Amino acid sequence: MANKQKAEIFEEILESSKMGSFLNWGNQNLSNINHDDPSWTWQRLKMNPWLAMAVYDDIEEKDARVGSCLETRKTAVLAKNWRIIPASDKRQDKRVAEFVEETLRDYFTSESAESDYSGFDNFLFEALDAISKGVSVGEIIFGDGKDRVYIENVKFKPQQLFAFGDTALSPFSTASLMYPQTGCLQLRQGVMLDNMIGGKLSEDKFFVFTYRPKHGNRWGQALLKYVYWASWMKRASVRQWLKYQEKGTGTVVGKYPGGSSVAEQQNALGAATAVVEENAVAISDKFVLEVHEMVRQLGSSHKELVDDFCNVEITLRLTGQTLTSRGSDGGGSRALGEVHDKVRGEYTEADCKQVAIPINKRMVKPLVIHNFGYNAKLPTFKIDYEPEESVDSKAKFFGQVRKEIGIELSKTQVRDELQLDMPKDEADTLGGTSREREKGRKGEKEKDDLDAETLEFAEKKTLNYGGKLNSKTERFRRLRPSMMKFSDE
């Protein structure tokens, strides 16, 4: 590793206290942002990493629609269960998988124990920040336990501290976001830390999650860049709408005689301001005040721009559908809801698959190597992204298989799938004891046999003594089934 000694896996290289000076320096450069010229900011999003990350944070914090959509993407992944799949059915491979799963579940800690997310869930939440910013980088801190080497924490760092330039243009690419970013992880040019001035970092020590890399660009595709214009137009429209609301009755014009002094002009302006802000005003008779009332059509146009265009653009870009945040767009149906739910499920599946790749490479692999050596087969981390089948649909499926196909089912499997417990004893069994159930089944059988005999006897009598019966005969026939022959008189 260039310009530095190989770090121990138990030590932290990029301590947050040593990064503060660089972050302050970067924040000072942001004071020159021209907020009134979005095109100026847009061009620099492609070149200036310090500005880009600050703009992305600003969008996520101030735009509720953006923040909500990104939160939806993250929580959809966190809501899924995850597991470690052994490399094979061999006892050793199963033992390795159990060890890795136990280590990640029980030994993984969190810096913010008071937060809603702790341990591995907190790690996943921060790792998924790559969806909005293109990449997330965290330093893995290993711990030395009595019986294992475990991952104590993953401390994520600001993305603008790093670069991936590793070509002839690396002196330029490491200082910006431009040019190929296909190399190894390294400190950005100008970032100095102890004996390190730039230089490559050991990726065995760092977790790097790149979201949808294009042409091998390890900076990935930051979704917040794609919603920049829609978010800017929406917030600009809200600012104009607020100014419009401040107008009240309209614009007040104060007229004063020509040749008036500066003091008289200020008095006229003060009188016009007072008309807007006060309930009662007193002015000199040489001043003339006029109210220019505005044509109030901004309300509908503001909604069309903000809600019907900007918010829809943001939602479609971030989640692929609008039903969860916008309803049915004016007349939905069950089929539409199913389509939207399917799209959301596909996004969740893609996110689960993508974040699992660096977890297997940067976390599962080193855990196995440090504890079992290089010859041990690697298990696989997987998030169960498949939608769970409802108990109702499972029950219907089992009923159809048993009744229509006639396949014998395993009681144990059916109970497990339907989440039904075994009865503790006969008193705990719904429907009475076994003796009562047997008696009930015997009674039902006798009743069925009796009904069959009665029906057969009635059919025979009908054939032998058919004919039209009057109401009295029909009623007596039901009461006395043994007397079936009557005259038609």
Side-chain angles (χ1 to χ4, degrees), residues 262-276:
V262 176
E264 290 175 330
Q265 296 175 15
Q266 292 296 328
N267 290 335
L269 180 61
T273 303
V275 170
V276 176

Side-chain angles (χ1 to χ4, degrees), residues 14 124 238 276 338 367 439 442 456:
L14 303 180
L124 273 179
V238 171
V276 176
E338 292 175 351
L367 277 177
K439 183 178 179 181
K442 185 177 180 181
E456 182 181 1

Side-chain angles (χ1 to χ4, degrees), residues 33 158-159 249 361 370 390 470:
I33 296 179
Q159 291 91 333
T249 56
K361 188 176 182 180
H370 291 318
S390 65
N470 56 37

Side-chain angles (χ1 to χ4, degrees), residues 81-89 92-106 108 120 123-124 151 356 359-361 363-365 367-368 372 377-384:
N81 296 320
W82 60 269
R83 54 196 169 98
I84 303 295
I85 304 175
S88 69
D89 292 333
Q92 176 64 14
D93 294 338
K94 290 182 178 179
R95 178 170 169 265
V96 172
E98 292 172 358
F99 176 90
V100 173
E101 183 167 350
E102 179 187 8
T103 302
L104 293 181
R105 289 191 188 278
D106 300 336
F108 209 109
F120 197 80
F123 157 78
L124 273 179
I151 295 178
I359 291 176
N360 281 304
K361 188 176 182 180
M363 300 181 70
V364 174
K365 182 178 179 180
L367 277 177
V368 174
F372 298 94
K377 294 184 179 179
L378 300 177
T380 303
F381 171 89
K382 181 187 177 183
I383 300 176
D384 295 326

Side-chain angles (χ1 to χ4, degrees), residues 3 47 60 302 320 322 371 378 417 423 426 447 450 470 473:
N3 300 327
M47 299 182 293
E60 188 172 356
H302 171 75
T322 60
N371 291 279
L378 300 177
E417 293 291 338
E426 291 188 352
K447 182 177 181 299
L450 180 61
N470 56 37
T473 305

Side-chain angles (χ1 to χ4, degrees), residues 219-261:
W219 269 99
Q221 301 184 50
L223 292 186
L224 286 174
K225 182 174 72 173
Y226 300 126
V227 301
Y228 167 76
W229 281 108
S231 179
W232 184 88
M233 285 188 289
K234 181 174 74 170
R235 288 188 286 172
S237 177
V238 171
R239 286 195 296 268
Q240 294 296 327
W241 181 75
L242 291 175
K243 289 182 179 179
Y244 170 80
Q245 295 298 320
E246 291 177 355
K247 289 288 186 178
T249 56
T251 301
V252 180
V253 178
K255 296 182 179 181
Y256 50 84
S260 300
S261 64

Side-chain angles (χ1 to χ4, degrees), residues 326-346:
R326 188 176 160 79
S328 58
D329 291 333
S333 62
R334 180 177 180 180
L336 178 64
E338 292 175 351
V339 171
H340 282 227
D341 187 63
K342 182 180 179 182
V343 171
R344 180 179 176 181
E346 291 173 349

